[in-house]
């Protein structure tokens, strides 16, 4: 059964997924989110600094920095998606104006209130994570129109008109069409397209925020990772929901309410990313301390330090976990158990639900657990998860270690036999 699964995932499923990942429309969204992540990291640093105010009351309020870093994530993505897509489609000459057009359309669709004097009032929270789906839609729409227009031209190739002038004129029609669409929706129809998008994607958000949805949102990337497929393939669908959930939590707490959205990236970083994707720190420590085979002893020494900082590529591809049934199965089991524990302890109020941005994933545990939740009880849960994942990995690790040990003994015996044979041949010759 396992061989059939491995064969299907390796020869049929993985190539198709990798083809999707390499699709310029999908990869443009992924690259845009990755490029904008430093803004989220800045917001995370502000979260860490804000904790120091509990000790040093004289520290200034840095919340405005978070509002204009993490709080502008959607705005930045609306620019980057057309920018990257035009580049991937071979229309680099149009990528800047396409990005700018995406940004302008995004702002139009935010449904600002415009007074008779021409003053526009925006809802600040819509620029950030809650506007991610709108940013993706507006960015893809602009990309579609601008990419189509880039294949057409109002002028012949041998026209004497300078190239920059030709570029201006070729951009005028598609930009005008794009902005007319935004104007028609927002002004003529008086439709708050932001609310329409939020409503359209609310079923997805509801599913992900449920217990089964959250567990699957953690499990699926881990499952794909064990077959060498980056979990980032899930980013366009899951990451906006995570970010919107955190933004809603932050808004609720700021207004005196309670955070309710458990499915956030911060929750994953609090517990599920201990040692890296798949909660692999226990396995890394196990390899360092318990390995009998020479191969796992060497790997344990190499992967321990990266695992402390939640970098587990050396472990996943060096042990390896990927394409290795001995270690893939316990990693799958932990990818179901750990998010279950996270969901239970937060839903029962045993640990705070994250309400502030924290994406400093490279900080060692249990510091990350505390900083992501701002709750000391998270440290106890972190220790419990380490113990549980240890016992899940242990029997599989021992079986794999013993199999390698047998292989190494067989290899040593073969080498010894070959050495004896060579020695006998040498003595016969003499």
């Amino acid at each position: 059964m396992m061989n059939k699964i491995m064969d299907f995932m390796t020869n049929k499923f993985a190539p198709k997924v990798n083809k999707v990942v390499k699709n310029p429309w999908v990869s443009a969204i992924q690259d845009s989110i990755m490029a904008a992540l430093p803004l989220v990291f800045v917001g995370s640093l502000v979260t860490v600094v804000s904790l120091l105010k509990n000790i040093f009351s004289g520290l200034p309020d840095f919340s405005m920095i978070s509002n204009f870093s993490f709080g502008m994530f959607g705005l930045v993505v609306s620019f980057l998606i057309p920018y990257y897509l035009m580049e991937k489609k071979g229309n680099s000459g149009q990528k800047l104006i396409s990005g700018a057009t995406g940004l302008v359309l995004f702002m139009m669709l935010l449904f600002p209130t415009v007074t008779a004097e021409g003053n526009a009032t925006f809802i600040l929270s819509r620029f950030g994570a809650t506007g991610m789906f709108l940013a993706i839609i507006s960015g893809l729409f602009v990309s579609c129109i601008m990419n189509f227009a880039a294949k057409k031209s109002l002028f012949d190739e041998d026209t004497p008109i300078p190239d920059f002038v030709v570029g201006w004129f070729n951009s005028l029609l598609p930009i005008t069409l794009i902005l007319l669409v935004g104007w028609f929706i927002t002004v003529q129809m008086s439709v708050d397209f932001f609310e329409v998008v939020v409503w359209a994607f609310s079923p997805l958000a509801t599913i992900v925020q449920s217990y089964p949805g959250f567990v699957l949102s953690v499990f699926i990337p881990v499952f794909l990772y064990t077959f060498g497929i980056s979990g980032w393939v899930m980013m366009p669908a899951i990451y906006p929901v995570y970010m919107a959930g955190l933004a809603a939590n932050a808004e609720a707490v700021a207004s005196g309410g309670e955070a309710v959205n458990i499915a956030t990236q911060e929750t994953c970083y609090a517990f599920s990313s201990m040692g890296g994707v798949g909660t692999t720190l226990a396995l890394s420590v196990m390899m360092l301390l318990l390995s009998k085979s020479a191969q796992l002893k060497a790997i344990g020494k190499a992967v321990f330090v990266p695992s402390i900082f939640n970098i587990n590529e050396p472990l996943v591809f060096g042990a390896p976990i990927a394409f290795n049934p001995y270690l893939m199965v316990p990693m799958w089991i932990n990818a179901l158990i750990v998010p279950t524990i996270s969901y239970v302890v937060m839903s029962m109020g045993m640990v705070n639900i994250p309400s502030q941005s924290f994406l400093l994933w490279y900080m060692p545990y249990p510091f990350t657990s505390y900083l992501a939740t701002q709750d000391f009880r998270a440290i106890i849960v972190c220790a419990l998860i380490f113990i549980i994942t240890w016992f899940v990995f242990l029997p599989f690790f021992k079986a794999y270690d013993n199999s390698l040990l047998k292989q190494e003994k067989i290899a040593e015996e073969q080498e010894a036999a070959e050495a004896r044979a060579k020695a006998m041949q040498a003595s016969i010759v003499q």
Side-chain angles (χ1 to χ4, degrees), residues 108-381:
M108 288 180 69
L109 296 177
L110 288 178
F111 203 70
T113 302
V114 183
T115 64
E117 292 78 22
N119 297 320
T121 303
F122 290 88
I123 300 174
L124 186 61
S125 62
R126 293 188 171 192
F127 286 91
T130 54
M132 273 290 292
F133 282 119
L134 176 61
I136 291 172
I137 290 174
S138 58
L140 291 177
F141 175 71
V142 170
S143 301
C144 182
I145 300 298
M146 296 298 289
N147 181 61
F148 176 79
K151 299 175 182 177
K152 312 294 180 181
S153 178
L154 298 174
F155 304 91
D156 297 329
E157 292 184 3
D158 56 352
T159 180
I161 301 175
D163 289 343
F164 72 92
V165 177
V166 172
W168 285 349
F169 278 98
N170 286 339
S171 299
L172 284 176
L173 285 178
I175 292 173
T176 302
L177 174 61
I178 290 167
L179 298 186
L180 275 174
V181 170
W183 168 82
F184 181 76
I185 293 172
T186 304
V187 179
Q188 291 300 105
M189 297 183 64
S190 296
V191 173
D192 187 342
F193 199 68
F194 175 87
E195 292 292 348
V196 172
V197 171
V198 170
W199 170 82
F201 283 93
S202 59
L204 174 62
T206 301
I207 292 171
V208 174
Q209 290 297 341
S210 69
Y211 161 67
F214 175 59
V215 171
L216 284 176
S217 74
V218 175
F219 173 78
I220 292 174
V222 171
F223 181 78
L224 295 176
Y225 196 30
T226 59
F227 289 96
I229 303 169
S230 172
W232 283 106
V233 70
M234 300 291 295
M235 185 196 308
I238 302 301
Y239 200 69
V241 176
Y242 278 0
M243 294 192 71
L246 179 69
N249 288 347
E251 189 175 345
V253 171
S255 60
E258 294 183 355
V260 296
N261 296 308
I262 295 174
T264 66
Q265 194 67 50
E266 283 68 17
T267 299
C268 296
Y269 286 151
F271 303 119
S272 302
S273 297
M274 190 189 310
V277 174
T279 324
T280 56
L281 183 60
L283 179 61
S284 177
V285 175
M286 204 175 291
M287 286 187 176
L288 182 68
L289 300 179
L290 304 182
S291 296
K292 296 178 181 179
S293 65
Q295 178 178 327
L296 288 190
K297 282 181 181 179
I299 292 173
K301 294 176 182 178
V303 303
F304 178 70
V305 172
S307 292
I308 290 291
F309 295 97
N310 310 312
I311 301 169
N312 68 350
E313 282 81 3
L315 178 61
V316 171
F317 298 106
I321 296 175
F323 299 100
N324 180 357
Y326 281 106
L327 301 180
M328 291 167 69
V329 173
M331 193 166 174
W332 297 345
I333 295 172
N334 285 330
L336 295 172
I337 292 176
V338 175
T340 296
I341 294 172
S342 304
Y343 198 92
V344 169
V345 298
M346 288 185 177
S347 62
M348 295 180 64
M350 298 170 65
V351 174
N352 289 344
I353 297 174
S355 60
Q356 294 190 45
S357 172
F358 182 81
L359 296 186
L360 302 181
W361 52 267
Y362 45 79
M363 292 194 69
Y365 282 79
F367 301 108
T368 297
S369 298
Y370 168 70
L371 292 172
T373 60
Q374 298 186 22
D375 189 339
F376 281 106
R377 293 174 296 179
I379 296 175
I380 299 174
V381 177

